[in-house]
């Protein structure tokens, strides 16, 4: 099988993928705002020195890198290396880094990328994969013009950039137009054009990797930075692998990579090929073993997924000294929830979608890192605060009502976005009606003595069942349970320790600056993409969720009608015998109501 896919190409599924990665992104955004910084050694600090005596760099310009300045260095250490280093401090809002300026800049770039690729997958605030197979297909037949391959390198080749392109052009001139080497060269020309456009429209430089799949494109992108691109012809993958530490391969950076380092005793990507499929399957199981075996040969079947919008919105805060009191925790829960609510409001207004899942991540003193998930019924402040408290209490409240651990990092996150239900749907109407009755009172965790809050008190908020209760109708227990904010479930206890991961996730956000046309393009639902219904937790096509929620509402109405009919029945004299024929007519009446008013109207999904 591997032979059939030699060099990372599956003959049935030939793709050309590029990873576009902005160069020292935050530095470039600052330089555009303050042009006097351009070309200078520059570092972006997390905090000003007044806030944190020795704040460290989160982004470093290439001029500063040449001097030996690295990300994570403290300001005083950088100045000791070179007094010429300029520093700027991240903007702050609510005592947290404010990413608005960077998100807006990211949107400008992503909008250009989305226009030029058949499939576009945003990977982080400054990175995106694009599948340009179809774009390249349209170019087949064009002659290769060396001048269009400026700033382009060929992985596996040595020498200057000009030498590499000269050698490669000679090779490609002998290839036919169906060969992958010819097509990847067209792709390099195309990506150069996109990078030029990004530069002229935004003033930002970026780097790119071009290859047969996401894994090799990502590896290639990192080999020549800044403002350059690298193509990786399939036959050159073994040569590239000889120069790359295997932990640099996507997904090998974490626990799996560490375990592999210990168990396989390898350092370079090229060494992976020494292990047989059965070795790898025995050590890592069928799926992971096969996957590693493929990666060793440059094979990766994962397609570029259509994802123009962020997967989730997260707001987080580190507490180096730990949260000291319940008041402090209350304050931060409220602050984070307010920020998240703002972002979710943008998601609704700009992208016409709502989040249906809520996750809380915490880094604790003794409890390590922990993550709790629950369905999100509504994206307002009230629900966000209540959900966060529920998750926090579940983890931290001990029976005597005291803290049982210290929080060093708190992150709240809303995800599993689905298209916003239609304004005219029954679900939306009922939800809005119910919501208008909310007294907007936000209750947070109990003041004293600890976290053990009375959740039932705190969560006295209107729900769908509340709406029906007001109507004095019986809701069967099953529907009541599902229409209320469900109990959180612990999803996993694994959370990326690296703050980088949190920051990157946090960085991903809205698409305010896209044109209507771009937004439409990006909002095209992924064919067949499924989500879980926040009410019944069943998998549902994203595009059908609104309709599915209408079904739940209809079901509740149906039960209400049944219940009303039952109660009418029970209030009638028990002694009075109902003739058989009339009993039958009542059943018919119920079923007539069901079939005419509800069942026939809402299709079960
Ligand atoms: P990166 O793409 O990792 O780095 P970069 O763009 O600064 O530099 P390079 O040219 O090497 O790709 O991160 C993108 C931005 O994300 C970065 O400019 C600053 C921000 N960031 C943080 O805030 N904290 C972090 O720990 C990291 C890694 C990045």
């Amino acid at each position: 099988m591997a032979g059939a896919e030699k060099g990372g190409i599956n003959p049935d599924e030939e793709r050309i993928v590029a990873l576009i990665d902005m160069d020292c992104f935050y530095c470039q955004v600052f330089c555009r705002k303050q042009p006097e910084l351009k070309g200078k050694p520059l570092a972006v600090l997390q905090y000003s020195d007044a806030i944190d005596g020795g704040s460290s760099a989160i982004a470093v310009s290439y001029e500063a890198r040449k001097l030996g300045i690295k990300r994570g260095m403290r300001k005083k250490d950088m100045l000791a290396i070179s007094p010429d280093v300029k520093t700027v401090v991240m903007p702050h809002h609510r005592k947290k880094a404010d990413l608005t300026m960077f998100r807006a800049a990211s949107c400008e770039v992503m909008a250009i990328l989305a226009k030029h690729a058949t499939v576009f997958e945003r990977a982080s605030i400054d990175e995106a994969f694009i599948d340009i197979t179809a774009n390249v297909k349209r170019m087949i037949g064009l002659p290769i013009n060396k001048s269009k391959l400026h700033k382009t390198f060929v992985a596996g080749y040595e020498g200057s950039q000009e030498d590499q392109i000269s050698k490669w052009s000679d090779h490609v001139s002998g290839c036919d137009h169906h060969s992958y080497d010819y097509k990847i060269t067209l792709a390099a020309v195309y990506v150069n054009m996109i990078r030029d456009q990004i530069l002229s429209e935004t003033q930002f430089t970026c780097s790119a990797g071009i290859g047969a799949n996401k894994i090799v494109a990502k590896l290639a992108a990192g080999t020549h930075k800044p403002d350059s691109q690298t193509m990786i012809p399939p036959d050159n993958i073994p040569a590239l692998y000889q120069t790359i530490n295997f932990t640099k391969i996507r997904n090998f950076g974490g626990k799996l990579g560490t375990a592999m380092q210990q168990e396989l005793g390898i350092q370079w990507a090229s060494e992976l090929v020494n292990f047989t499929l059965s070795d790898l399957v025995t050590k890592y199981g069928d799926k992971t073993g096969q996957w590693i075996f493929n990666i060793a040969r440059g094979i990766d079947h994962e397609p570029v997924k259509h994802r123009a919008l962020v997967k989730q919105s997260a707001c987080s805060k580190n507490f180096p000294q730990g949260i000291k009191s319940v008041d402090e925790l209350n304050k931060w829960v409220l602050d984070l929830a307010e920020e998240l609510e703002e972002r979710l409001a943008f998601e609704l207004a700009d992208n016409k979608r709502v989040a249906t899942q809520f996750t809380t991540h915490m880094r604790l003193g003794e409890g390590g890192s922990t993550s709790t998930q629950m369905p999100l019924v509504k994206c307002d402040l009230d629900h966000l605060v209540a959900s966060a408290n529920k998750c926090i209490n579940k983890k931290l409240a001990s029976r005597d009502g005291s803290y049982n651990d210290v929080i060093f990092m708190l992150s709240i996150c809303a995800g599993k976005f689905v298209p916003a239900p239609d304004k005219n749907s029954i679900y939306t109407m009922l939800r809005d009606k119910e919501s208008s009755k909310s007294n907007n009172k936000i209750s947070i965790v109990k003041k004293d003595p600890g976290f053990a809050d009375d959740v039932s008190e705190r969560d006295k908020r209107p729900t769908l069942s509340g709406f029906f209760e007001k109507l004095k109708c019986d809701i069967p227990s099953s529907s009541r349970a599902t229409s209320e904010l469900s109990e959180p479930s612990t999803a996993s206890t694994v959370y990326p320790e690296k703050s980088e991961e949190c920051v990157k996730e946090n960085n991903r956000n809205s698409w305010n600056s896209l044109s209507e046309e771009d937004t439409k393009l990006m909002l095209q639902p992924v064919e067949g993409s499924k989500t879980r219904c926040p009410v019944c937790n069943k998998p549902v096509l994203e595009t059908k969720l609104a309709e599915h929620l209408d079904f739940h509402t209809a079901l509740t109405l149906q039960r209400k009608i049944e219940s009303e009919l039952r109660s009418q029945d029970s209030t009638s004299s028990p002694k009075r015998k109902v003739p058989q024929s009339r009993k039958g007519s009542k059943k018919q009446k119920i079923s007539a109501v069901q079939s005419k008013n509800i069942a026939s109207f809402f299709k079960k999904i």
Side-chain angles (χ1 to χ4, degrees), residues 21-27 46 58-60 62 65 71 90 99 124-127 225-226 499-501 503-504 507:
D21 180 14
M22 305 310 293
D23 301 318
C24 55
F25 188 49
Y26 284 15
C27 292
Q46 182 98 38
I58 55 168
V60 176
Y62 280 84
R65 292 183 205 193
R71 172 180 289 142
M90 285 290 285
L99 304 180
S124 76
I125 194 165
D126 75 333
E127 271 184 23
K225 274 185 134 270
S499 61
E500 169 182 333
E501 295 290 325
V503 173
K504 282 211 144 190
N507 286 343

Side-chain angles (χ1 to χ4, degrees), residues 433-479:
K433 185 163 181 136
E434 163 222 338
S435 145
S436 69
K437 289 184 287 174
S438 163
N439 57 12
N440 281 334
K441 198 175 150 205
I442 301 155
S443 48
I444 315 180
V445 280
K446 201 172 161 185
K447 287 253 170 190
D448 210 25
F451 283 23
D453 184 27
D454 182 351
V455 173
S456 57
E457 261 305 302
R458 192 160 36 86
D459 285 340
K460 269 186 187 163
R461 66 200 165 279
T463 60
L464 266 179
S465 59
F467 176 71
F468 285 108
E469 269 154 22
K470 200 89 180 167
L471 290 178
K472 290 200 179 353
C473 68
D474 256 345
I475 298 175
S477 56
S478 61
S479 12

Side-chain angles (χ1 to χ4, degrees), residues 149-170:
L149 290 169
H150 53 281
K151 297 181 185 170
T152 303
F153 293 80
V154 184
Y157 279 18
E158 285 172 355
S160 69
Q161 187 268 329
E162 289 80 12
D163 288 349
Q164 291 189 18
I165 287 305
S166 184
K167 204 167 140 200
W168 179 253
S169 300
D170 290 347

